């Protein structure tokens, strides 16, 4: 089950209603006294989305909402650096199909 599915399931307690393609409204899970559908959620896919509490000041990502609702998030993997290091202008030039003279 995706994080989006878990969040949608948890928001059923707040009167969740579909409000268009991948859009939802309900009472705010951030305010105990919420009595109007002033909370909106947009789902991009199973792991991405955003929310806004129009009567309060809460906004954030699908994962932030999941954390607030006590939903366990999927394991996150640390990304290694994607930057390449060069050993001087000559190495840089060769990597880009040039000569150092052209760069100088």
């Amino acid at each position: 089950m995706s994080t989006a599915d878990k969040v949608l399931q948890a928001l059923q307690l707040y009167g969740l209603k579909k409000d268009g393609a991948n859009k939802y409204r309900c009472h705010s899970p951030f305010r105990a006294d919420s009595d109007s559908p002033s909370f909106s959620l947009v789902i991009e896919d199973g792991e991405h989305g955003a929310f806004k509490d129009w009567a309060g000041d809460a906004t954030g990502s699908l994962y932030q909402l999941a954390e607030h609702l006590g939903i366990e998030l999927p394991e996150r993997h640390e990304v290694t650096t994607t930057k390449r290091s060069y050993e001087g202008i000559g190495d840089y030039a060769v990597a880009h199909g040039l000569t150092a003279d052209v760069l100088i």
Side-chain angles (χ1 to χ4, degrees):
M1 183 180 278
S2 71
T3 302
D5 292 333
K6 293 174 186 175
V7 165
L8 291 173
Q9 186 176 37
L11 289 177
Q12 293 297 322
L13 297 172
Y14 300 92
L16 184 70
K17 303 279 186 217
K18 194 159 176 107
D19 190 37
N22 300 322
K23 296 179 182 179
Y24 302 86
R25 283 206 170 272
C26 64
H27 301 291
S28 177
F30 289 89
R31 293 178 293 110
D33 63 343
S34 178
D35 62 356
S36 69
S38 61
F39 182 84
S40 65
L41 173 65
V42 177
I43 304 286
E44 297 294 324
D45 61 40
E47 300 301 325
H48 300 92
F51 71 88
K52 178 165 179 65
D53 183 354
W54 294 91
D57 61 354
T59 61
S61 71
L62 178 68
Y63 278 10
Q64 289 170 320
L65 177 57
E67 287 177 337
H68 176 76
L69 295 170
I71 296 170
E72 187 174 329
L73 299 177
E75 183 178 337
R76 297 181 189 186
H77 301 283
E78 195 67 34
V79 177
T80 58
T81 183
T82 59
K83 292 185 178 186
R84 178 178 174 200
S85 61
Y86 300 99
E87 294 183 26
I89 194 167
D91 186 30
Y92 180 85
V94 170
H96 291 85
L98 304 169
T99 64
D101 294 335
V102 172
L103 295 175
I104 293 172

